[in-house]
């Protein structure tokens, strides 16, 4: 088997689909132009290799549940190749334009670094060929610096320099692979960079190590001419009790402390955002506000669960907030919307993996349509701007320019007295938003 | 002032309303028949007196922000009467058919119990008159057993019998008032019944007290001929660290332990459900499954906040789950959908209190329309039923009837071996649901 | 290798141990009599087989990290036997008197139920022999109804009757094994009994199935003459989004609803309690208050993490609350303190598994000493009792007896007026407690 | 009444106190020298005016419960003066050396800014006199920019420039007051600087405003010669859904973004840290690691509650982590340990306010003793340092110096291969720590 077993060439767009016809898009019409760009350019969807092609359904309480006809479960190169052919067929049928992977997703680790890299080269060769054949491009690649037992106490922040060196050697290769495959970005997710207990941890020493590691990466990127942005993906906890890249602002603090903020942007995953105790769209908005939003791992979690469930995004209100932010910053390229999502381990049919991607793409396509309508109407944006109107003139303008003083303010209040009370109108904003959503 | 200052007689139904015309319903059309009943009978909305007419916007960090022209802030009977006239005018204009209140919401506490009850009688008189005049009915009343300092360590579970007696005297009067005003239910919310620290608390003794208290209430209800259901409203925490009525199942355990389960049903508030760590609709579904769902305090919280924010429900997906459960159990009467919601303290315009109710009613009206469509189509229900088909015959039927034994099962497995794997299809269910929602 | 590789016969009691001499007990002195019983009888410690002998350190983000010299990683009977010999040697050296296991921990699953049971019989034979030789007894056994893919949608609550039958056949054998090995209890942990989404779930039908399942178990227990208590172990979430056995009160509600409360008690795990949003000792206290506390899985979690970390209990304040409750109910037998704990995957030395158990046992031993001192002094208990003194006479006594009426209370308040204010003295209770703890 | 009604001159140190003698210190001996400094210099305790002298016990569900004989509840200057005399008497008797306050805690707001400032001047005059008389000093003062309705939508981040100006005028005066009273620091807590909904909020514009505000404060501080550090106190949520000063790292990101990091340090409150989803000591450690720890608001919360409970710190393990960090950075001066704590509203006796402070001071005194023992023994520190030993030479040293490259690392791994596995020994660290604590 080298094809994904579904009897279609490509998932069709059927705006009039019946409720239970789920192998079609009702909202996603890739070439339809929305606000000056085709939908596919606003919605740079990518399929992630790890969940969709390496996920087994195993969890801490149970064995694998997802058996795929094309995967014999072995670590052979042949199996890896067959799997990759199916993956590109799946993505072609689904109609996404991008994919993402960790180094170890696509090729088995060998007995030595050389052997590992040689395995990787073989699969990269095939990937390159399949990319050319299908037109599917690499949104980003990354290195798995957390699964191997050598990384159990962290990679770049390990207390053992030997492990740090191993991670560096691995990222070196990862950058080379990214360059070869034309990766549009390169991602760092902090795997096990964090602590379980402060009793055995020197936080500052570990953060210094992490900064040194990133500086080596920046130097090597320039050396080999890899031009895509570096992205850091914040996560607050899991697997460690405290991940150093807790959330967007924590990463920005780190980058600024070590003068790395020009070299990195952020890859925001909403399920990580909610784990950090924020609202679903918070980190996307914060990163965008700081000019640091590079890409989005579009997934969702269950707000009542305290771990990363990596569910397919199916809530159009949440997706609308994301898309509105992306519209406001003029798009996400060279970043994209990567589905860092996995089918539930109970969703064991091979069709479930297709349906789940379709459902998520349609959710985002609808959200794009809603967000564009909101933006074009301008009603909500105008309501928001009116709240800040006082900064347009007088003392407000002086405050905004940074030229006012406490003495100016004191004098102003002595003359003007109390400000008028103004409503924040939250429920009105929500009601108007619902007019677009319902 | 004795009218709510908005220049309309009644909020109109305008299915073609523009986005920013928020003083109208786009979905709520009270007499339109859905699945055999007018919308107003499925959606027995009520306005709560405490938030909407007694809320001041004070919070633990700040002073009142909501000033109403009809309320002079005093504890006088005249002020209480004026406020009540405005409330009935507001409800009439909004178009709800029910209201709810705590005893202390409508009339000021006096220096003695007698004086307090006499104040209450005066306002009950006026309420009765305004009910007759407007046709608005009392969904339920309840007693405030938590605000007065005497109740700081609980009411029915207080360590001091004197306080328990005070609470009993107060509920006695509350039942009399409910009877007089034709209350369709009577609610108990456990205020400060719970503990802050187990160090100073004898849990079992306090729960015994609570049960005794409820038994006195049941006896008195029968004695005076109050016929509405008694409802308990679960809440997990706040104001106490642990509220004894944690969630639906905790209350059911309590009721069954003390043989009170025939005398009480549950009033579920989703913001309490999410505070208890469950999904928004969980307790509504659990209570309904156990035949114990009596009424719903339809509000919502912010999943990233750990306290009861009592926000107006504005999420149609959440509301659809609630309405589908209500449709499935054939309606909620004599219970209803009480808006235990408050405008944000920042929403300080008088119009905000109207807009917020309209937004919430329209959200539920849309949800009813969606839920009815789902139910009538039957696609989702059929998908669900198919999962349980094996209990219709053979060993499945025997298991379902309660007549199977471990030996039967052992023999069956020896003959049939492994079961087939079946997908749970979560993402397909979600995708089909979105076809109705988007 | 058939022995645990540490160069001691038994962990010694050294009350004067230096700070870094961690292979000894500083507080646990098994035969020392505390309040009339030797410490070992108050502290019926057991080692759990799953974490301590089957844990590999694998987690959702990484491969196994814990390699043990006696375990070749295979599923052979020989490996299983070797592992069991080491386990009994470990427990003997540690000095615990009990162990616990799931059926699948000790013997590999075969191709058929018969083969599986035959594997199990071989290991049960060996266990029986090792129990006799070492004097170590079986606190409880249980069945693993969650790891095999057949149980991915639940066992007793599966939508497929065939799966329910499989689970029943497995528990049938589990009870037979328990009887053979003299298990003092039998535990049910609800594995995957719960839901991920209500969209595809009929809650009531599943709970009915669960009740039927337990009734079959009770019948079979009686039939074969297994005499230990049945215990249910509540857990709120993980692996499912909502576990039906959420917390102590939820389980009690279930048991009472189905008239099963005489046949079951509770096995409380504090890490599950904190996941449910309660304080560490809450469910132990609630279960004990209801006369339903059967046993304790003594572990702990990190309050800032949202999943079950199963850490060794190392906080003496928490342990003191548990031990005080156990002292108050006169002991835990036939239940015990089972260490459902795992060494961190980073704690990869073989010595870590011994040190962690020693640290936890010493923590509980110290807690027992503190709790006994508190109980014998009586200062805290007296402070608590004084709060409830008013129920000893007059109206208080009448309320307590259940003979008071609302009319009595009304009359009492009219005569006595306002109650005096009484402090709850939380900080004083905390300060006095600290006098014992510091 | 102008004295705190307890019949002692000063809380005595009684190392042999009985369990229930709670009006004495068992561990806090202010002049005893620990590691080269008297305890009072390590433990620069301060009493906060807001909770201890302005707290009423009111909460969102109830009226005031705390009546003090010296406080007539009025807003008169006389009442304010009497309250202040009692406060200084209380602090003298308790034996703390510092106090803290918000401007509005000590003097009533008037009808105009001028009147307000004039009220403030009168009380500052008295404070100055009482400081001189008692020797008690001002650890820090701050401005209340959240309680008045004008600040309902924020102060420095308000959408209305008029409100921003008001806040600036208020802080101007606050700095003048701080200078006059010799405040050793000045604190900013972000009150309502944050958002409730992103729908109505321009995050970047508000953060720019906040930075401009702080720059005006820095300029004015220099102008008037106020020399104490400026401190920002992070809090994640409450009263707003998202506070801009979420946690230590978020504040550091903000300060670095706006080049304010040289002008500000952090005042960490553990109850805010745990609300942000971190462990109790996390932000203290992070801030200290970054050289940004200025002061500590030493309180605690309940880990199972989602709001700021401001409880007195009574857990010696938590306090030990704090004190160890403070010892490691050589002390906290000019910062201190401010008790931002309130007695429970149920703790209504006047003695409760004294006992709670004593209990907390003793907890920290014991923690200082334990932490000093740990530091002097060096066992735990050495265990930690050994984990990082590989950075002392060879490639490790090169990595640490920032001079290594990816190519160096690649070469090193090709030669050395896999690193050895090393245990993180978490349970051993915990066990050794317990040897100090138990």
């Amino acid at each position: 088997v080298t094809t994904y077993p579904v009897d279609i060439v490509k998932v069709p767009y059927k705006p009039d689909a019946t409720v239970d016809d789920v192998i079609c898009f009702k909202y996603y019409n890739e070439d339809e132009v929305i606000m000056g760009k085709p939908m596919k350019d606003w919605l740079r969807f990518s399929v992630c290799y790890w969940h969709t092609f390496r996920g087994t359904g195993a969890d801490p309480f149970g064995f694998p549940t997802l058996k795929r006809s094309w995967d014999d479960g072995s670590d052979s190169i042949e199996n890896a190749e067959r799997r990759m052919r199916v993956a590109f067929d799946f993505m072609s049928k689904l109609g996404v334009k991008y994919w993402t992977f960790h180094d170890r997703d696509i090729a088995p680790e060998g007995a030595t670094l050389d052997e590992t890299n040689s395995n990787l080269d073989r699969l990269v060769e095939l990937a390159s060929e399949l990319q050319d054949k299908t037109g599917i491009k690499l949104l980003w690649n990354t290195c798995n610096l957390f699964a191997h037992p050598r990384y159990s106490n962290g990679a770049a922040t390990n207390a053992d320099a030997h492990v740090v060196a191993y991670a560096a050697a691995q990222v070196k290769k990862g950058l080379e692979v990214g360059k070869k495959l034309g990766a549009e970005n390169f991602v760092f997710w902090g795997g096990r960079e964090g602590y379980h207990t402060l009793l055995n941890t020197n936080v500052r020493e570990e953060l210094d190590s992490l900064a040194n590691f990133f500086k080596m990466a920046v130097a090597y990127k320039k050396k080999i001419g890899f031009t895509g942005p570096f992205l850091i993906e914040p996560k607050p906890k899991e697997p460690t009790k405290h991940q150093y890249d807790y959330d967007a602002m924590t990463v920005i603090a780190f980058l600024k402390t070590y003068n790395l903020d020009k070299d990195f942007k952020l890859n925001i995953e909403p399920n990580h955002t909610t784990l950090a105790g924020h609202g679903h769209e918070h980190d996307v908005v914060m990163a965008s506000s700081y000019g640091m939003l590079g890409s989005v791992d579009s997934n969702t979690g269950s707000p009542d669960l305290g771990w990363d469930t990596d569910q397919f995004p199916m809530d159009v209100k949440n997706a609308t907030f994301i898309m509105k932010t992306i519209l406001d910053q003029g798009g996400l390229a060279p970043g994209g919307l990567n589905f860092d999502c996995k089918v539930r381990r109970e969703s064991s049919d091979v069709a479930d993996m297709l349906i789940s991607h379709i459902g998520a793409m349609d959710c985002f396509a609808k959200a794009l349509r809603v967000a564009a309508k909101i933006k074009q109407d301008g009603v909500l944006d105008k309501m928001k701007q009116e709240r800040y109107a006082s900064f347009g003139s007088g003392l407000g303008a002086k405050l905004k320019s940074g030229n006012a003083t406490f003495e100016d303010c004191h004098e102003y209040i002595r003359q003007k007295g109390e400000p008028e009370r103004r409503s924040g109108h939250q429920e009105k904003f929500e009601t108007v938003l619902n007019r677009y959503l319902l």
Side-chain angles (χ1 to χ4, degrees), chain A:
Chain A
V1 191
T2 55
T3 58
Y4 174 73
V6 62
D7 191 24
I8 49 166
V9 173
K10 194 172 166 189
V11 176
Y13 170 57
K14 296 190 194 168
D16 301 320
T18 57
V19 158
D20 52 357
D21 177 5
V22 291
I23 310 287
C24 66
F25 296 113
K26 199 173 158 70
Y27 301 102
Y28 183 56
N29 185 19
E30 63 177 55
D31 293 319
E32 184 179 333
V33 173
I34 303 271
M35 291 191 73
K37 279 197 246 185
M39 290 182 86
K40 69 185 169 196
D41 287 359
W42 287 117
L43 301 164
R44 294 162 51 89
F45 294 130
S46 71
V47 166
C48 83
Y49 210 86
W50 53 100
H51 285 316
T52 301
F53 288 93
R54 300 312 306 275
T56 64
D59 75 5
F61 301 89
F63 301 124
T65 57
L66 307 177
K67 297 273 177 155
R68 305 305 186 198
S69 56
W70 58 82
D71 195 324
D72 64 16
S74 79
D75 264 347
S76 72
I77 297 288
E78 293 66 36
N79 196 31
E81 288 177 340
R82 198 165 49 240
R83 187 192 290 130
M84 188 174 277
R85 289 183 194 281
V86 175
F88 274 84
D89 186 56
F90 173 82
M91 295 187 281
S92 294
K93 283 169 171 165
L94 181 59
V96 294
K97 310 302 174 196
Y98 290 95
W99 71 307
T100 57
F101 69 88
H102 298 86
D103 47 5
R104 301 300 173 250
D105 298 335
I106 61 168
E109 191 145 7
T112 64
L113 182 63
D114 283 353
E115 192 182 317
T116 299
N117 286 349
S118 152
N119 289 347
L120 189 53
D121 287 337
R122 282 189 57 182
L123 271 296
V124 166
E125 200 57 49
L126 177 60
S128 177
E129 187 187 301
L130 291 166
Q131 287 191 170
D132 287 350
K133 188 175 141 200
T134 59
I136 291 168
K137 291 184 283 185
L138 182 57
L139 185 66
W140 47 261
N141 64 320
T142 185
C143 289
N144 182 325
L145 303 174
F146 46 91
H148 193 283
R150 83 174 70 89
Y151 297 129
S152 62
N153 286 291
T157 65
N158 202 293
D160 181 356
H162 195 145
V163 178
V164 178
Y166 212 109
Q170 191 174 331
V171 173
K172 174 176 178 291
K173 181 70 180 179
L175 290 172
E176 294 161 6
V177 163
K179 180 170 161 61
K180 179 162 173 54
L181 292 175
E184 304 196 4
N185 308 266
F186 186 86
V187 165
F188 293 86
W189 170 57
R192 299 184 193 273
E193 318 294 15
Y195 67 77
H196 282 287
T197 172
L198 286 165
L199 279 173
N200 72 2
T201 306
N202 186 323
V203 168
R204 184 66 199 225
E205 198 153 329
E206 297 199 354
L207 291 172
D208 287 350
S209 257
L210 186 60
N212 284 333
F213 191 90
F214 283 140
K215 284 173 185 168
M216 292 193 290
V218 169
Y220 194 69
K221 168 188 166 175
K222 286 178 184 158
K223 180 168 177 186
I224 67 170
F226 180 85
T227 54
F230 275 0
L231 303 174
I232 291 179
E233 179 175 325
K235 188 177 184 187
K237 46 192 78 173
E238 198 201 23
T240 70
K241 178 178 152 75
H242 174 82
Q243 304 271 126
Y244 288 134
D245 297 336
Y246 197 82
D247 59 6
M249 295 307 288
T250 302
V251 173
I252 291 172
F254 170 82
L255 293 173
K256 298 234 175 222
T257 297
Y258 291 100
N259 292 311
L260 285 161
D261 52 308
K262 297 293 172 287
D263 296 305
F264 287 81
K265 287 196 165 181
L266 304 185
N267 181 39
I268 301 297
E269 176 172 326
N271 200 163
H272 294 174
T273 304
T274 52
L275 271 183
H278 306 302
H280 184 270
E281 70 278 9
H282 174 82
D283 265 12
V284 164
V285 171
M286 293 307 287
S288 183
S289 290
Y290 274 77
M292 298 288 279
L293 180 63
S295 200
V296 175
D297 264 19
S298 48
N299 67 5
T300 195
S302 286
D304 44 332
L305 297 183
W307 65 93
D308 197 26
T309 59
D310 282 344
Q311 290 173 249
F312 282 89
M314 296 283 192
D315 187 286
V316 77
K317 184 186 280 194
N318 282 339
T320 298
F321 280 112
I322 305 292
M323 289 315 302
K324 180 63 165 52
T325 305
I326 290 172
L327 288 178
D328 284 345
Q329 74 166 36
L332 204 47
L337 295 171
N338 178 52
F339 290 122
D340 187 359
C341 311
K342 57 184 176 199
V343 290
R344 302 302 84 195
R345 77 191 289 276
E346 300 78 18
S347 299
S348 50
D349 285 356
V350 72
D352 292 319
M353 65 190 268
L354 185 64
I355 293 167
S356 54
H357 280 87
I358 292 171
M361 289 164 75
D362 241 15
C363 175
F364 263 85
K366 173 72 178 177
L368 169 61
R369 293 173 185 274
V370 173
K373 182 80 166 61
I374 290 171
K375 194 165 175 69
Q376 286 167 323
D377 273 13
V379 170
L380 278 167
D381 284 341
K382 190 158 162 252
M383 282 168 64
K384 190 199 284 196
Q385 284 153 15
E386 279 166 2
R387 296 188 67 226
Y388 298 89
S390 64
F391 287 94
S393 61
L395 180 64
K398 198 171 180 188
L399 280 165
K400 188 165 184 170
S401 71
N403 295 317
T405 64
F406 272 10
E407 292 93 325
D408 293 337
C409 294
H410 177 77
E411 208 43 53
Y412 184 86
I413 296 303
R414 293 198 65 201
Q415 286 170 29
K416 306 280 186 174
E418 274 298 321
E420 261 182 83
R421 295 299 146 72
R422 304 219 197 150
S423 171
H425 291 308
Q426 177 166 335
E427 296 83 359
K428 184 175 174 188
F429 276 89
E430 290 172 343
T431 299
V432 173
L433 176 67
N434 268 350
R435 287 289 172 85
Y436 290 99
L437 284 170
L438 301 190

